[in-house]
Amino acid sequence: MGLDDDDKAAFAELGVTVVAADGDDDEVVVIDPAAVWSSNWPAVAVFTALATQWRVVGVGNVILRLGLDYAEADRMIARMGAEADVFWDLQVMEGVALPILNEAVDE
C-alpha cells in the first residue's frame, strides 16, 4: 500500500521527503526522517556511539535495561571530543529511551 496525496502532503508539512523505492509505489523510502539541530548533534553522536553500553539485568526470560554505563559515557564524551555538558543531554535522552526500550517488559 503506497502513500496517497494526503499522506505525501502531511510528510511535506513535516519537511520529510518520501519517494517510491525502485519505482514501486507500494514500497516507500523516507529520506531524512529526522533533523537534528547542530547544538544537539554532539549528544546524538555520543548517544548512538553508546548503543552497546547499556546496563542490563535478566528478569526471568526478559532483559531489562537499567540505564547507560556512565563510566563508559564519560570516556566516550572525551574520546569524541565533546563538551562535558553533553552528559546532561545524554541523561535526558536515556530517560526518554528507557521506557521505550523496556516496553516489551510491561506486556
Side-chain angles (χ1 to χ4, degrees):
M1 182 165 109
L3 292 177
D4 62 21
D5 289 336
D6 289 337
D7 291 334
K8 290 176 186 176
F11 275 115
E13 285 180 33
L14 295 171
V16 176
T17 303
V18 293
V19 296
D22 299 327
D24 181 1
D25 286 335
D26 289 335
E27 186 178 347
V28 175
V29 176
V30 177
I31 299 172
D32 191 21
V36 177
W37 289 353
S38 60
S39 61
N40 294 331
W41 185 249
V44 172
V46 172
F47 187 79
T48 56
L50 292 169
T52 61
Q53 300 303 316
W54 289 89
R55 297 221 178 232
V56 297
V57 64
V59 180
N61 64 346
V62 175
I63 294 177
L64 179 66
R65 287 165 184 84
L66 302 175
L68 288 169
D69 179 338
Y70 287 167
E72 184 56 30
D74 283 338
R75 282 191 289 275
M76 189 62 70
I77 289 167
R79 196 174 294 143
M80 295 180 74
E83 299 289 328
D85 286 351
V86 163
F87 180 80
W88 309 117
D89 296 333
L90 288 177
Q91 283 193 309
V92 171
M93 295 170 77
E94 174 191 43
V96 172
L98 276 171
I100 296 167
L101 293 171
N102 290 325
E103 197 169 70
V105 174
D106 293 335
E107 294 175 0

